[in-house]
Amino acid sequence: MKVGIDRIGFYTARYYLPLETLAHQRGVAYEKFRTGLGQERMAVAPPDEDIVTLAASAAEPLLREDGVENIDLLLFATESGIDQSKSAGLFAHGLLGLPPACRVVELKEACYGGTAALQLAAAMVARRPGSKTLVLASDIARYELGSPGEPTQGCGAVAMLVSADPRILALDPERGLHAEDVMDFWRPNYRDEALVDGKYSTRVYLSTVVETWQRYAKESGRSVDDFARFCYHLPFTNIARKAHERLLKSAGRDAVTPEQIEAAVGGGLAYNRQTGNSYCASLYESLVCLFDQCAENLEGRRLGLFSYGSGCMGEFFSGVVQPGYRQQLRTEQHQRLLADRTELTYQEYEDIFNLKVPQDGWDYAFAQYRTGTFRFGGIAGHKRRYERAA
Ligand code: HMG
């Protein structure tokens, strides 16, 4: 029985800061961000968007079209948690009108959470093939102002419906896993911004690519020639090129040209270049981008996916693109979303950055910004209040 991604949708905030503006403000050459990191814009969530509204807005169009019937599991993957106890998934469950006979939990392992959710969803669907799981991967990436991580900030959410006989991507059972206790990037409970040992995190990411690929190749017996394209977790897009070069070299391909690398990974980079890091959603944002933008028909072709979460947990896995997948995509809506965003000035970005959710226990109503279908309206009696956007 095939199990995998039946529908997939992406949403990001309606505001962005051009990295040219940030480079100018920080006295850095824009080329460092544009060519060195491979980033052009960062998506900025206004005060009335959070991981719940981003995720619910990514899922709502899919559920409007497909209905909520048979969804008996909602897995919410995030590292920008809003509550130490209640799952962000329950807020999304309410907003999306999902059935009450549904398991709802939140998962965390840095940016790997989305992949943990997808693989657990596939296992649960295999156990009850008539059921569906809604996977929500949603994050807002924050680093300190002026830090090396700042130009890689961003936000976004991907919603995936996982089912038997999926219409987009059937997941293969083989995988290469790698877990290791390292401190490359973390966010203690008392901080809003991540702490990161940037260069070290990049080295651990790249060595994890090799570990997971080698385990995957051994288990599956497949070689790099068995894949049409590769998608990588994208903290910044240039890392995909370095990662793929490492993977090819570890697979014994020494004479690798930039053209070969571009052909394998280039198709999945454009959206992330415009949004920045969306942590748990990042790999799946890249997958959506590949589906939306790849001119070649990928039906029947195998894709390789590398997921990385700091701390660290890595997985290389794969899936086969299903016949007719293009009819299930939301290409036009995704492209319109990215094209129709409001540009911020540097000062507007810094004001939003500093406007944190109040922690003093008073009631607050947040001003209406441009949002998706849902907005975070405010706080009353320590309870977050969500509503449909006007
Ligand atoms: P940095 O020190 O600002 O940058 O930090 P750099 O000096 O390493 O330069 C970056 C690139 O720009 C280099 O390219 C430079 O040569 C180039 P490379 O040599 O690497 O190919 N460059 C230029 N290019 C053109 N024109 C110029 C120019 N100047 C320099 N004028 C760093 C970079 C990524 C470390 C920083 O942004 C950072 O700390 N980011 C956050 C951490 C991160 O993204 N780590 C990635 C791996 S860990 C991960 O993926 C997990 C994560 O998503 C979190 C999670 O799992 O939850 C982050």
Side-chain angles (χ1 to χ4, degrees), residues 12-243:
T12 187
R14 316 291 300 270
Y15 297 88
Y16 72 91
L17 181 72
L19 289 191
E20 198 166 2
T21 305
L22 185 68
H24 179 73
Q25 186 70 25
R26 298 283 175 251
V28 174
Y30 173 47
E31 273 315 295
K32 175 175 177 181
F33 297 162
R34 199 176 76 88
T35 319
L37 296 176
Q39 295 305 120
E40 286 176 13
R41 294 175 172 182
M42 62 161 85
V44 178
D48 60 344
E49 286 265 36
D50 68 3
I51 52 162
V52 170
T53 64
L54 293 172
S57 294
E60 194 269 345
L62 306 184
L63 302 185
R64 198 173 352 107
E65 287 166 17
D66 284 33
V68 297
E69 221 180 310
N70 298 335
I71 298 178
D72 68 0
L73 177 62
L74 189 169
L75 295 173
F76 198 113
T78 188
E79 58 178 298
S80 329
I82 49 161
D83 195 287
Q84 293 283 33
S85 173
K86 177 168 173 165
S87 165
L90 280 160
F91 292 109
H93 178 274
L95 290 173
L96 294 167
L98 290 170
C102 185
R103 261 193 201 101
V104 182
V105 284
E106 183 172 314
L107 298 174
K108 179 177 69 186
E109 177 9 56
C111 304
Y112 175 75
T115 302
L118 179 62
Q119 296 290 21
L120 292 173
M124 293 299 271
V125 167
R127 192 169 164 207
R128 293 174 71 92
S131 70
K132 291 184 189 173
T133 296
L134 177 62
V135 169
L136 299 176
S138 179
D139 267 310
I140 298 175
R142 281 173 68 94
Y143 296 91
E144 278 177 9
L145 295 178
S147 69
E150 186 184 28
T152 70
Q153 291 178 132
C155 68
V158 170
M160 294 180 269
L161 269 172
V162 179
S163 74
D165 300 322
R167 289 173 287 179
I168 297 183
L169 189 75
L171 295 170
D172 293 318
E174 298 83 10
R175 76 282 192 270
L177 300 171
H178 183 73
E180 193 178 340
D181 180 5
V182 294
M183 293 301 279
D184 60 332
F185 167 107
W186 65 105
R187 185 167 68 82
N189 283 347
Y190 50 83
R191 287 183 61 99
D192 288 321
E193 289 82 36
L195 295 167
V196 60
D197 188 342
K199 299 255 161 60
Y200 175 58
S201 72
T202 304
R203 285 199 303 277
V204 182
Y205 173 115
L206 293 174
S207 61
T208 304
V209 170
V210 174
E211 296 286 348
T212 58
W213 163 254
Q214 287 180 343
R215 283 176 198 146
Y216 171 90
K218 193 169 172 208
E219 185 177 319
S220 66
R222 295 187 186 109
S223 84
V224 287
D225 300 326
D226 292 316
F227 297 88
R229 299 285 189 286
F230 292 79
C231 288
Y232 287 87
H233 165 57
L234 296 176
F236 51 93
T237 65
N238 248 5
I239 204 163
R241 299 188 175 97
K242 290 178 198 293

